Amino acid sequence: MAETPWLDDDEMAAWLALVGVLLRLGPALDSQAQRDAGMTHFDYQVMAMLSGAPERRLAMSELAARTNSSLSRLSHVVKKLEARGWLARSPSPTNRRVTECELTTHGYDVLVAAAPGHVSAVRQLVFDGLSPEQVRQLVAIATTVRANLDASDLRTLDG
Amino acid sequence: MAETPWLDDDEMAAWLALVGVLLRLGPALDSQAQRDAGMTHFDYQVMAMLSGAPERRLAMSELAARTNSSLSRLSHVVKKLEARGWLARSPSPTNRRVTECELTTHGYDVLVAAAPGHVSAVRQLVFDGLSPEQVRQLVAIATTVRANLDASDLRTLDG
DNA sequence: GAGAACAACTTGAAGTTTCAAGTATTCCGG
DNA sequence: CCGGAATACTTGAAACTTCAAGTTGTTCTC
């Protein structure tokens, strides 16, 4: 751990505010999606990523990467969504250890129906009151943090 | 829902980056805290908030507010931490429906031992690579988003 | 071209969080 | 000061996520 310089005032303020967002935004999005569309925010993300892929199809591991989730988490969720008929799994024709996931027509319809409410929630919860300038700042900041997270994944923290 | 203007390019970029952070930062912090201190990041937050309060004591509802959690979630977690001897509950002397929570000496020691690893993780995962300018921007942005979240809590979304 | 590592999943159990009730206490209007 | 609302929690069940294996298939190395 070596030496650990404490957080300065700005950093502490940023950290507290960020934790507040972290802890509240997830539940808030889940609650909206659950109420309006009977799905989790993560369910929505999975279907949205599929809908944007060619053929509305992706390998599980690729889908996990694009939804920022573990393969295990994805596997459980996909099983649930498959049971609802919103997507279907099938073995990849080219690599037999790969499972591909495809959004069904029904799933696509459900996604389309859920989209406006989702976008409206994101607007209300995140972008309301932010200037265009701040939105650009947010892109830069969040991108840097994501890079930090990716780097730490590899080093399992602390190196 | 009224009309729903879609997200523009900057907003979409910000949203995707933010979701990435949202989905990865929580687990990353949990994993560090679990590995180094045998606790959840949320457990840490609870104990840290108590340690900063006068007498290291707070009512459950106040603690819930300061940790951005539901009372129910807090209640379950406090029960767990109490079983470990890290904190103790007792009825408030002044208001009989209030339960107060106090960090024990042992709990304080555990917290102090966990702090350096936690701070180091926050530094590594969040602040690494951010300029002081960006840290200040983050404060402003996160504060605005928090205000949005608070506002939506009251209106239960969509008004 | 075996066998060892590795990669892509799946699964069941354990831990966490939410959800829906339920209980006890305090507040407030008449 | 009575009764209905609101507040402050607690609890058990359901839903979700992680964790630790386990399976099957691919790739690499000698």
Side-chain angles (χ1 to χ4, degrees), chain A residues 22 29 41-50 58-75 77-78 142-143 145-151 153, chain B residues 12-28:
Chain A
L22 197 66
L29 290 166
H41 175 59
F42 183 69
D43 296 345
Y44 182 91
Q45 288 272 119
V46 167
M47 300 209 293
M49 285 304 160
L50 283 177
L58 284 174
M60 290 291 283
S61 41
E62 182 56 29
L63 187 52
R66 296 198 193 184
T67 56
N68 301 291
S69 86
S70 69
L71 210 37
S72 172
R73 178 183 187 179
L74 182 64
S75 187
V77 167
V78 161
T143 301
V145 175
R146 272 201 55 142
N148 290 347
L149 289 164
D150 288 344
D153 265 356
Chain B
M12 187 51 100
W15 175 237
L16 287 178
L18 182 58
V19 166
V21 170
L22 197 67
L23 258 41
R24 295 181 117 124
L25 185 52

Side-chain angles (χ1 to χ4, degrees), chain A residues 10-152:
Chain A
D10 279 351
E11 286 172 335
M12 187 51 102
W15 174 237
L16 287 177
L18 182 58
V19 167
V21 170
L22 197 66
L23 257 43
R24 295 181 119 123
L25 184 52
L29 290 166
D30 275 343
S31 154
Q32 181 276 329
Q34 199 65 253
R35 181 165 54 72
D36 294 353
M39 66 176 82
T40 293
H41 175 59
F42 183 69
D43 296 345
Y44 182 91
Q45 288 272 119
V46 167
M47 300 209 293
M49 285 304 160
L50 283 177
S51 83
E55 283 237 56
R56 293 175 191 164
R57 242 176 177 310
L58 284 174
M60 290 291 283
S61 41
E62 182 56 29
L63 187 52
R66 296 198 193 184
T67 56
N68 301 291
S69 86
S70 69
L71 210 37
S72 172
R73 178 183 187 179
L74 182 64
S75 187
H76 284 297
V77 167
V78 161
K79 189 199 287 190
K80 179 188 74 175
L81 298 180
E82 189 173 37
R84 293 185 191 170
W86 293 352
L87 48 77
R89 276 182 291 189
S90 52
S92 156
T94 62
N95 185 332
R96 288 198 299 165
R97 68 185 157 170
V98 169
T99 301
E100 293 187 341
C101 216
E102 183 173 352
L103 197 60
T104 62
T105 307
H106 181 207
Y108 183 76
D109 293 344
V110 168
L111 179 66
V112 167
H118 174 69
V119 173
S120 148
V122 169
R123 232 174 222 318
Q124 213 172 115
L125 297 173
V126 179
F127 294 111
D128 242 46
L130 292 185
S131 68
E133 175 67 20
Q134 285 181 309
V135 172
R136 283 190 295 276
Q137 292 170 357
L138 177 55
V139 174
I141 293 169
T143 301
T144 298
V145 175
R146 272 201 55 142
N148 290 347
L149 289 164
D150 288 344
S152 294

